[in-house]
Amino acid sequence: KFNDSIAKTIACKMSVKGNTRITTDAMQQIIDDLVLCDNPYTCPHGRPTMIKYSKYELEKFFKR
């Protein structure tokens, strides 16, 4: 359990933070790595890694 806790902390500390500019290739690599995980839908602490919006919801965000 101790090693698991350390791994979770390191993963969060090394993650890409908001407003960080990365290349399209780096984005694609993150997604490619994510789908290889046992549970790609949450981070090690249980926060969601992806969300789904309907077309209607997206249009609502942009007032269309």
Side-chain angles (χ1 to χ4, degrees):
K1 184 170 180 161
F2 178 73
N3 288 337
D4 188 51
S5 177
I6 290 173
K8 288 177 183 179
T9 300
I10 290 171
C12 284
K13 296 286 183 193
M14 302 209 40
S15 66
V16 177
K17 306 296 187 243
N19 294 323
T20 301
R21 293 188 181 271
I22 60 174
T23 65
T24 304
D25 289 337
M27 290 180 217
Q28 187 62 53
Q29 186 62 52
I30 290 169
I31 293 169
D32 292 344
D33 292 344
L34 184 62
V35 298
L36 297 175
C37 295
D38 290 337
N39 182 5
Y41 303 106
T42 61
C43 79
H45 291 104
R47 296 179 190 98
T49 57
M50 54 183 104
I51 53 176
K52 181 179 178 179
Y53 289 109
S54 68
K55 182 180 175 188
Y56 172 76
E57 291 170 311
L58 284 173
E59 288 173 344
K60 201 164 83 171
F61 286 138
F62 295 97
K63 301 193 185 321
R64 298 242 169 206

